Amino acid sequence: MDFPLWPEAASTVAGDVDNLYIYLVLVSAVMTLLIFLAVFVFAIKYRRRKADEVPAPIHGSLKLEITWSIIPFLVMLTFFWWGAKIFFLNATPPPDSMDVYAVGKQWMWKIQYPGGQREINELHVPVGRPVKVTVASEDVIHSFFIPAFRIKHDVVPGRYDTMWFTATKPGRYHIFCAEYCGTEHSGMVGWVTVMNPADYENWVSSGGISGSMAQQGERMFEQLGCSTCHLLDRQGRCPNLRGVYGSRVQLADGRTVVADDAYVRESILNPNAKIVQGYKPDVMPSFQGQVTEEQVLQLIVYVKSLAITGTPGATAAAPGGAGRRTTQPNGGNQ
Amino acid sequence: MSTALEQPKAQEKPNYLNAEYGWKSWLFTTDHKRIAVLYIISISVMFMLGGIFAMLIRLELLTPQGDLVNSDTYNKFFTMHGVVMVFFFLVPSIPATLGNFLVPMMIGAKDLAFPRINLLSWYIYIVGALFALAAIVMGGVDTGWTFYTPFSTTYSNTFVITAAVGVFIAGFSSILTGLNFIVTVHKMRAPGMTWGRLPLFVWANYATALIQVLGTPVVAITLALVGLERAFHIGIFDPAIGGDPILFQHMFWFYSHPAVYIMILPGMGVISEVVTCFSRKGVFGYPFIAGSSLGIAIIGFLVWGHHMFVTGMSTYAGLYFSLLTMLVAVPSAIKVFNWTATMFRGSISYETPMLYAFGFIGLFTIGGLTGLFLGTLGVDVHLTDTYFVVAHFHYVMVGGMVLAYLGGLHFWWPKITGKLYPDGWGKFSALLVFAGFNLTFFPQFITGYLGQPRRYHAYAPEFQVLNVMSTAGASVLGLGFLIPAIYLLMSLKSGKQAGDNPWGAKGLEWETASPPPTFNFDETPVVTEEAYAYAKHEEEPVG
């Protein structure tokens, strides 16, 4: 029977997490043994021998109290420091990461690639290449968990979060939803397939796709009528979206924001939240309820492509093409 | 052991049990001891109910396929297990029962400061429990005991409001008990009972009371907001109507993290009493054990964010919460070290309560240390929401709190009932509980690191062996809980008379009769010595 006691380690961060975990286990084992041993030895050695014996009291010792407060705390600080290092590493995707988008929905994972491929409960990634996953939820809170990569991130409705990993070993590994999300929570599972780069290129090109994610977004953009105002309008009712993504936007209320994923999403679903300077509120209707989270992501990738090339629908988004992005602020998800 | 001085047969000395008879004398009593007994009965019923849900969960998890019940039912099982155990057993467990019975006696008072409020708090608890039971009977709740939004406010089709109202109401019972304890400890100490002489059990309950009074209103407000959003679609937590689901988690954990200290601190108080008694020795480092209770109560309010490291909170907030989590572990460690040091050169005997104390020290140590794993940022990312958390939490709450409760119940059972239970059975079931507990929950640390998420109805087949071990352990554990229920109840009828002080323990509660008279002491005691003065020669005359 398949009976593992240790999870597979298949990402660059997994080894470090394992080492820290082993360190924690060792320190804890030593501590626990010491306490057990002391209790055991005292219980035997000082067992009551005469019914009426009364041992002399020991009131305490300041030196001991200080010692057993400070030393454990110093050891704990090493846990803290090492754990924090991994946490910060997890929070900072390398600039050359390829993008993947995962939308959680009761009870499945919908995966999209910039190249336009879409999958349900399956994620394909190449070995040795950083992958940045932008996660979003269609309904309740989910959590995207890949035990073999030792990473997990909650998927919270109403916002984007990012997580990243570099897979190190070809194979198939579990994807679990780790945040309880209703009836079929335990069925919200899938597989990540890690492939050699050549196999991955084959996989990418073999899919019969209806255009890249940016092209899918462009179609949405036209269907929903966004293009009338945001690209063609000459009367100045709406900001032209060419070159907007990644830039700083001056708002009517005096604030400046960076046009990142979260900003574009909010502008689609709640257009009055941030009005660009020089424009009026209540011009654009909300698209809340008319577009799914997946479609919003397609629109974002399209708007992003407008920034890179200035040409609508250009093939900016070959898988991993994100590497050419200018210094893009990190999602603004904090 | 007990040099149980058999009372002469014509024993019927007036005490709180025989003072009055009839159901009215119980339901309208203002005697803190009778109210404690009412609480013991009520929380035992709730514990059994929560235990039945636990057994059903473990039965389902015997096989990886979800084949015993359907997913909705399973989700209700773990939700009701959590709601019943946390809010209706663990939170009131020691303060409302042993605390209620002992805090006034330990400080030499006749009763709590507000006896009627004390009775009111029991009624409020019962009303809350009835709501929870109603939610179960009507069809259950499936949100998890954490009521996370927007699932609980928008998506769940179960009786969320009924259950939330139950928890909301029970919260007031907790607040009133806390309030009563604070006033009692401040105002009703007997002459000579200075703060530096308070038994450590009183210190622990005092620290707990502070958390109850300061923290519980926050969870009440939070659940009220959940009800408002669910019933009237006022956008507070659901982003689809303008709310923020993470706000809920901040509010919920602002109470619910300190609440785990509400659950464990009184247990630590019990251990301090038991370890000193069965080592027949003054406690090592009194001011540090007492002070660490307050330290836990204060720092415990500053660490709630460690439940939320993967929600996308700022990495810097993560740093802060991780660091403070390390800090809050220090006072807990201090307690463990001091208990161990108390045994050094003691005169140790192994009666049932002491076996539970041994078990507590070991299991709480493991529970505490694994808490550090979860407070360590990079590791928590992998471990959170897996069975590792389940194992850690049960090591603290069952290995710690429930063992302390059982230890305390066995320690003061002779005082409460005037009867002795069969110590052999006591020891046997204490060992059974210890073995069953470890077999149940230790494998879950491993399944957790392997990545088995919690709250899964069906799980990946490679986790099965460890889950079978858990289920096997749970049946041993269940037996370990059942046996004491039987012999303790039987001892009411057939137990030997305990005498006033069967363990030779120190403390004012042991200087009065067993069971104690209605007003605890015939004369107000005067305290002339520090706590646990075992070496001072036998009782100086009191009063």
Side-chain angles (χ1 to χ4, degrees):
Chain A
M1 185 181 280
D2 192 14
F3 178 30
L5 292 174
W6 196 264
E8 277 195 88
S11 75
T12 45
V13 79
D16 209 17
V17 174
D18 282 353
N19 289 338
L20 175 51
Y21 181 76
I22 291 166
Y23 173 58
L24 279 156
V25 169
L26 285 179
V27 173
S28 303
V30 169
M31 279 299 306
T32 309
L33 273 181
L34 278 178
I35 299 279
F36 272 50
L37 207 68
V39 169
F40 191 71
V41 167
F42 293 169
I44 301 292
K45 190 165 174 206
Y46 304 115
R47 69 184 176 279
R48 190 165 301 167
R49 289 156 206 272
K50 279 182 297 182
D52 61 346
E53 70 183 0
V54 178
I58 307 171
H59 279 273
S61 149
L62 187 60
K63 261 191 218 157
L64 266 180
E65 302 286 352
I66 291 174
T67 315
W68 63 41
S69 305
I70 301 283
I71 292 182
F73 187 63
L74 292 179
V75 176
M76 290 177 215
L77 284 183
T78 64
F79 303 161
F80 163 76
W81 179 249
W82 193 346
K85 263 170 61 182
I86 296 174
F87 193 61
F88 270 79
L89 187 71
N90 276 338
T92 327
D96 61 337
S97 307
M98 64 175 261
D99 275 309
V100 176
Y101 301 87
V103 174
K105 179 176 188 309
Q106 284 179 326
W107 293 277
M108 65 182 84
W109 294 108
K110 296 175 154 190
I111 312 288
Q112 295 187 92
Y113 301 80
Q117 300 88 344
R118 292 156 76 171
E119 300 186 274
I120 289 184
N121 294 340
E122 292 279 347
L123 169 64
H124 288 76
V125 295
V127 88
R129 177 131 163 235
V131 177
K132 183 176 110 185
V133 188
T134 301
V135 292
S137 167
E138 195 82 61
D139 37 47
V140 300
I141 302 179
H142 303 281
S143 191
F144 196 72
F145 177 30
I146 305 176
F149 297 169
R150 310 286 187 273
I151 53 160
K152 171 189 296 130
H153 207 294
D154 283 0
V155 180
V156 181
R159 56 194 278 179
Y160 291 135
D161 283 300
T162 57
M163 57 200 290
W164 76 276
F165 58 83
T166 303
T168 54
K169 211 164 78 179
R172 267 167 80 72
Y173 309 102
H174 286 293
I175 299 171
F176 290 134
C177 175
E179 184 66 65
Y180 173 68
C181 60
T183 308
E184 291 302 326
H185 169 53
S186 70
M188 194 166 161
V189 297
W191 295 93
V192 46
T193 306
V194 178
M195 312 167 93
N196 287 314
D199 296 339
Y200 180 74
E201 290 309 321
N202 275 338
W203 178 84
V204 166
S205 51
S206 69
I209 324 156
S210 49
S212 72
M213 224 173 135
Q215 285 162 344
Q216 291 165 9
E218 182 179 20
R219 280 200 291 278
M220 285 299 301
F221 199 75
E222 268 151 29
Q223 269 170 33
L224 296 170
C226 317
S227 49
T228 353
C229 287
H230 282 296
L231 288 179
L232 309 171
D233 181 46
R234 302 275 180 256
Q235 283 143 42
R237 291 195 309 153
C238 307
N240 188 306
L241 292 188
R242 283 197 183 85
V244 164
Y245 190 93
S247 69
R248 294 188 152 273
V249 180
Q250 184 73 42
L251 299 184
D253 61 9
R255 284 180 297 164
T256 314
V257 294
V258 174
D260 57 13
D261 292 358
Y263 169 78
V264 179
R265 180 182 184 278
E266 186 183 43
S267 301
I268 295 169
L269 301 179
N270 184 11
N272 284 337
K274 295 194 174 81
I275 299 296
V276 178
Q277 194 173 42
Y279 295 90
K280 289 199 188 66
D282 298 323
V283 174
M284 176 174 158
S286 162
F287 287 84
Q288 179 110 42
Q290 299 181 46
V291 284
T292 65
E293 290 292 344
E294 283 174 286
Q295 290 167 335
V296 174
L297 284 165
Q298 291 163 6
L299 287 167
I300 291 171
V301 172
Y302 170 64
V303 171
K304 198 186 283 185
S305 76
L306 289 177
I308 294 166
T309 61
T311 324
T315 53
R324 286 191 285 138
R325 237 181 299 134
T326 45
T327 50
Q328 186 228 324
N330 172 22
N333 303 314
Q334 298 300 344
Chain B
M1 48 154 282
S2 61
T3 50
L5 299 167
E6 285 266 333
Q7 302 275 344
K9 261 282 175 266
Q11 185 248 354
E12 279 302 291
K13 237 177 102 183
N15 62 47
Y16 82 99
L17 289 172
N18 66 14
E20 284 178 280
Y21 294 98
W23 60 271
K24 276 188 184 167
S25 76
W26 283 91
L27 292 186
F28 298 115
T29 184
T30 51
D31 183 342
H32 66 104
K33 298 180 291 299
R34 286 194 163 211
I35 295 169
V37 171
L38 292 176
Y39 264 117
I40 291 177
I41 296 166
S42 333
I43 71 163
S44 300
V45 170
M46 293 312 263
F47 182 72
M48 265 164 49
L49 185 63
I52 290 170
F53 284 119
M55 291 311 295
L56 291 169
I57 291 170
R58 283 315 325 165
L59 272 181
E60 171 64 75
L61 296 178
L62 203 50
T63 55
Q65 312 80 19
D67 44 12
L68 182 68
V69 294
N70 65 32
S71 294
D72 279 326
T73 309
Y74 177 81
N75 296 342
K76 289 172 185 171
F77 283 172
F78 72 70
T79 301
M80 299 318 302
H81 169 68
V83 168
V84 168
M85 286 301 204
V86 169
F87 297 109
F88 296 97
F89 174 72
L90 287 168
V91 167
S93 60
I94 289 183
T97 59
L98 297 174
N100 225 329
F101 196 95
L102 293 163
V103 165
M105 295 180 72
M106 284 181 159
I107 62 172
K110 285 182 185 163
D111 205 314
L112 285 169
F114 308 116
R116 283 161 205 269
I117 288 184
N118 195 21
L119 181 64
L120 176 65
S121 78
W122 180 73
Y123 275 103
I124 293 176
Y125 169 85
I126 292 295
V127 173
L130 287 177
F131 269 93
L133 291 176
I136 297 173
V137 171
M138 292 191 301
V141 188
D142 72 344
T143 59
W145 75 275
T146 46
F147 295 104
Y148 266 23
T149 56
F151 182 74
S152 63
T153 55
T154 307
Y155 289 85
S156 172
N157 293 314
T158 57
F159 295 88
V160 179
I161 293 186
T162 318
V165 167
V167 173
F168 177 87
I169 293 173
F172 287 93
S173 155
S174 184
I175 295 172
L176 291 180
T177 303
L179 190 73
N180 225 334
F181 281 10
I182 292 173
V183 177
T184 305
V185 174
H186 273 273
K187 304 303 282 184
M188 307 205 25
R189 284 169 287 126
M193 178 55 84
T194 59
W195 285 89
R197 288 174 177 169
L198 282 181
L200 291 165
F201 181 76
V202 176
W203 271 110
N205 275 282
Y206 179 78
T208 306
L210 292 177
I211 309 178
Q212 287 175 308
V213 169
L214 294 174
T216 316
V218 179
V219 78
I221 293 163
T222 313
L223 291 173
L225 293 177
V226 165
L228 284 179
E229 180 166 294
R230 194 172 162 88
F232 304 111
H233 307 288
I234 300 169
I236 301 160
F237 302 126
D238 183 354
I241 45 178
D244 181 358
I246 302 298
L247 174 67
F248 171 84
Q249 295 182 22
H250 280 291
M251 295 178 72
F252 180 81
W253 290 116
F254 182 81
Y255 164 76
S256 292
H257 190 77
V260 305
Y261 298 112
I262 292 181
M263 303 176 215
I264 194 68
L265 272 170
M268 294 168 155
V270 168
I271 299 306
S272 299
E273 301 295 323
V274 171
V275 166
T276 47
C277 172
F278 295 97
S279 304
R280 197 178 278 171
K281 188 162 157 289
V283 73
F284 189 94
Y286 175 96
F288 292 91
I289 299 191
S292 61
S293 290
L294 293 179
I296 288 173
I298 294 163
I299 308 172
F301 271 110
L302 308 175
V303 300
W304 77 90
H306 65 207
H307 295 267
M308 302 165 58
F309 287 152
V310 300
T311 56
M313 67 155 55
S314 131
T315 38
Y316 293 96
L319 278 189
Y320 159 84
F321 283 119
S322 175
L323 190 62
L324 267 283
T325 302
M326 301 298 160
L327 195 63
V328 80
V330 173
S332 297
I334 287 178
K335 283 182 194 281
V336 171
F337 292 134
N338 280 295
W339 291 323
T340 311
T342 300
M343 293 170 60
F344 177 69
R345 293 199 178 149
S347 164
I348 296 165
S349 67
Y350 314 127
E351 274 87 2
T352 308
M354 189 60 163
L355 294 192
Y356 278 113
F358 288 148
F360 176 99
I361 294 175
L363 300 181
F364 177 74
T365 299
I366 296 176
L369 285 164
T370 48
L372 294 176
F373 288 50
L374 295 165
T376 300
L377 287 160
V379 173
D380 180 73
V381 169
H382 178 62
L383 290 178
T384 188
D385 281 321
T386 70
Y387 263 83
F388 193 95
V389 175
V390 178
H392 156 71
F393 188 63
H394 284 83
Y395 262 78
V396 179
M397 287 300 135
V398 182
M401 183 60 188
V402 175
L403 259 62
Y405 175 67
L406 287 174
L409 199 61
H410 283 82
F411 186 50
W412 285 291
W413 187 259
K415 181 53 62 182
I416 297 170
T417 65
K419 299 295 174 65
L420 291 173
Y421 51 84
D423 198 51
W425 280 107
K427 286 176 180 164
F428 174 68
S429 53
L431 292 176
L432 218 52
V433 166
F434 186 80
F437 173 82
N438 281 298
L439 184 57
T440 309
F441 291 104
F442 196 83
Q444 296 181 3
F445 285 124
I446 303 170
T447 45
Y449 198 70
L450 284 170
Q452 184 185 349
R454 63 202 280 230
R455 298 173 169 178
Y456 261 34
H457 174 223
Y459 56 86
E462 65 261 32
F463 304 139
Q464 190 179 6
V465 176
L466 292 161
N467 274 283
V468 170
M469 288 162 83
S470 270
T471 300
S475 40
V476 178
L477 187 59
L479 192 64
F481 290 143
L482 208 57
I483 296 174
I486 295 169
Y487 66 71
L488 286 178
L489 284 176
M490 282 172 59
S491 78
L492 292 178
K493 264 198 117 100
S494 56
K496 277 193 281 185
Q497 296 298 327
D500 292 354
N501 190 358
W503 316 117
K506 281 284 178 180
L508 291 179
E509 80 271 28
W510 300 108
E511 292 179 11
T512 186
S514 304
T518 299
F519 292 110
N520 298 342
F521 302 95
D522 296 333
E523 289 171 65
T524 303
V526 174
V527 182
T528 54
E529 56 186 25
E530 64 198 32
Y532 320 112
Y534 282 94
K536 287 252 173 64
H537 238 294
E538 288 302 292
E539 353 222 307
E540 275 120 83
V542 176

